[in-house]
Amino acid sequence: MSKALNKLRGRFSGDMGEMMKEFSSSIDIDKEMIPEDIWGNQAHVLMLAKKGIIEKKDAKKILKALEKAKEDFLKGKFMLNEELEDVHMNVEAYVTELIGEDAGGKIHTARSRNDQVLTDTRLHLRARVIEVEEHIIHLQKTFVSIAKKSTEKVMPGYTHTQQAQPITLGFWATAYASILNRDLERLRKAYENINRSPLGACALAGTSFAIDRRLTARLLGFDDVIEHSLDAISSRDFIIETLGALAILSSNLSRLSEELILFSTNEFGILELSDEYTTGSSIMPQKKNPDFAELSRGMTGYIYGALMQLLVTLKALPLGYNRDFQEDRVLLWKSINRVKMMLSALNGTLSTAKFKEERMRELAGGNYSTATELANYLVREEKLPFRKSHEITAKVVKELYCKKKDFEDLKLTKNILEKHDIDISLKELKNLLDPENAVRLNHSLGSTSPKEVERMIKELTANTIDAKEEIRKRQERINKAKKLTEKMIKSEKCLD
Ligand code: ARG
């Protein structure tokens, strides 16, 4: 048995079986948190020395060894010992190996792996959440730039996947920018709960050493501490919240994927995907498949699964630390990677795709999709109750349909309306039934009219700028904390 692991087994007479070692190891899951583990160690040791809990000379040795561990990790020379249970024991063993037991053995004073693993997870997660947010902002920008160019370009709007009313491409694109705003908002809120320090909660009950939890929180760039030690150790709701936000984001991305898939079919024919974001068939030479959108739709199930897995894991756990918690990161990091890939793939697919304006116009005006405008006109000009105007318009549609005609046949439409005592000029009728005009008429708040879409574009752009600024501030806070830790490590006086 390795020495370091042996240290945890003082009360045992025998070694842990090989199978059990493999079963319980979290090294594979946690190795991406080693830089955070080292930072957490640095903050902890600085605090211990400042509070006189360990001697300055020991702290200096430990800090030097941690510095070496960091360098070695960056050079890929930090070899993980699989015999040790986790990355925390690995970092401690690395330090102890370098400076000996007398100093190295003090690193774990007033701390537990229970608060340590949570510190690492929160530090790592906050950085990963920022990456996801940045990806969302990119996609949002793509939508806004599509929208800017297309506030007048009509396309079919659907309900029940049946042509409903004409909308503009700008209106469609801003809908997604607006949806993504809420995804950003959810992640921002999740971030607030992530960025709190559990360090110093120790095993579950705090400690009898006079530690300074606020100092370690500041050194690690946390916005606050989670005061209640039992809560800090027992809770994983910050991960559930993050996975919840990711699951909702995926659901939105999956719906976008579905639209890209549908719109690029020959049947819809309103979207041409680029070669870069499509694949061919091994047998059918003519095929051009929207695989990236399909994969994004498919990966959504994985994210839902991750959320469900954690909810199920936690549902019957008593307060305090439970080893079941180790499972919380297994799907978390993979989920974040997948969501980032989905966002990149969809951004690429969308920004290189071409919307086919002629076909969009054809569908926007077809299938009597401006009938609602005709009904509205009858309410406004003929002072009919809407129910009545709906009935008359439906009869007009019915007769046109039976004659295999549509609104394009203005004369016939006019004749049918006359039968219902409605007199309307051809010019006026054309104006009303023309999809470009119909979208212009919808001027209510948040409607598809070019004016409203232009206004919403401005608001959405401002929101994106705010989100970017918020991220910049967070990163600045993190960098400041890193610098403060480094400054304290360098300056001996800080330890007094
Ligand atoms: N690998 C453990 C985890 O992920 C670290 C904490 C271990 N704590 C303990 N009491 N065994 O949760």
Side-chain angles (χ1 to χ4, degrees), residues 305-361:
L307 171 63
M308 203 44 68
Q309 182 239 18
L310 187 59
L311 285 169
V312 173
T313 302
L314 290 174
K315 77 180 262 291
L317 293 185
L319 289 189
Y321 176 81
N322 301 279
R323 193 64 183 270
D324 318 43
F325 287 145
Q326 191 163 299
E327 289 294 301
D328 63 9
R329 283 143 284 147
V330 178
L331 299 185
L332 178 63
W333 309 138
K334 277 193 191 156
S335 296
I336 289 179
N337 286 342
R338 289 192 171 196
V339 167
K340 276 170 56 190
M341 281 196 287
M342 284 160 72
L343 284 160
S344 297
L346 289 171
N347 194 17
T349 305
L350 199 70
S351 56
T352 56
K354 280 201 177 62
F355 286 89
K356 296 184 184 166
E357 291 175 31
E358 234 173 83
R359 176 70 176 152
M360 288 195 316
R361 170 70 177 70

Side-chain angles (χ1 to χ4, degrees), residues 26 30 85-86 88 113-114 117 321 323 325-326 329:
S26 57
D30 286 348
E85 222 174 77
D86 50 39
H88 324 296
R113 282 183 298 164
N114 299 352
V117 68
Y321 176 81
R323 193 64 183 270
F325 287 145
Q326 191 163 299
R329 283 143 284 147

Side-chain angles (χ1 to χ4, degrees), residues 118-268:
L118 277 163
T119 304
D120 297 2
T121 305
R122 286 169 179 273
L123 291 176
H124 195 62
L125 184 56
R126 74 178 179 193
R128 310 297 314 272
V129 164
I130 288 179
E131 287 165 16
V132 175
E133 287 174 281
E134 284 173 331
H135 276 70
I136 297 177
I137 289 173
H138 277 138
L139 182 59
Q140 216 179 19
K141 277 187 170 169
T142 301
F143 276 118
V144 169
S145 81
I146 292 174
K148 278 185 180 158
K149 289 180 271 173
S150 7
T151 53
E152 309 257 354
K153 291 178 189 162
V154 290
M155 70 182 278
Y158 294 90
T159 62
H160 311 267
T161 329
Q162 306 279 333
Q163 282 152 271
Q165 283 182 306
I167 59 171
T168 66
L169 178 55
F171 188 60
W172 176 84
T174 43
Y176 279 105
S178 165
I179 289 168
L180 292 171
N181 247 349
R182 282 192 304 282
D183 286 309
L184 281 174
E185 186 63 14
R186 266 184 290 272
L187 285 169
R188 195 179 63 72
K189 290 208 176 110
Y191 187 97
E192 276 174 24
N193 276 335
I194 294 167
N195 202 26
R196 287 154 170 262
S197 178
L199 193 57
C202 302
L204 76 162
T207 174
S208 51
F209 290 102
I211 56 170
D212 183 349
R213 291 189 63 195
R214 299 210 181 271
L215 174 60
T216 44
R218 193 151 68 89
L219 288 173
L220 294 170
F222 284 119
D223 293 326
D224 206 346
V225 294
I226 304 180
E227 281 186 17
H228 200 294
S229 297
L230 183 56
D231 173 20
I233 294 310
S234 312
S235 301
R236 295 294 184 278
D237 47 3
F238 70 100
I239 305 181
I240 298 182
E241 224 175 327
T242 308
L243 281 172
L246 294 181
I248 298 172
L249 168 64
S250 311
S251 149
N252 291 331
L253 296 179
S254 189
R255 298 180 71 180
L256 166 64
S257 309
E258 174 67 13
E259 288 210 302
L260 297 180
I261 294 161
L262 279 180
F263 289 175
S264 62
T265 58
N266 198 32
E267 288 75 2
F268 277 77

Side-chain angles (χ1 to χ4, degrees), residues 95-124:
V95 167
T96 311
E97 191 85 3
L98 285 170
I99 58 173
E101 289 246 325
D102 284 349
K106 293 182 179 165
I107 196 169
H108 208 59
T109 318
R111 187 181 71 182
S112 153
R113 282 183 298 164
N114 299 352
D115 55 345
Q116 204 180 350
V117 68
L118 277 163
T119 304
D120 297 2
T121 305
R122 286 169 179 273
L123 291 176
H124 195 62

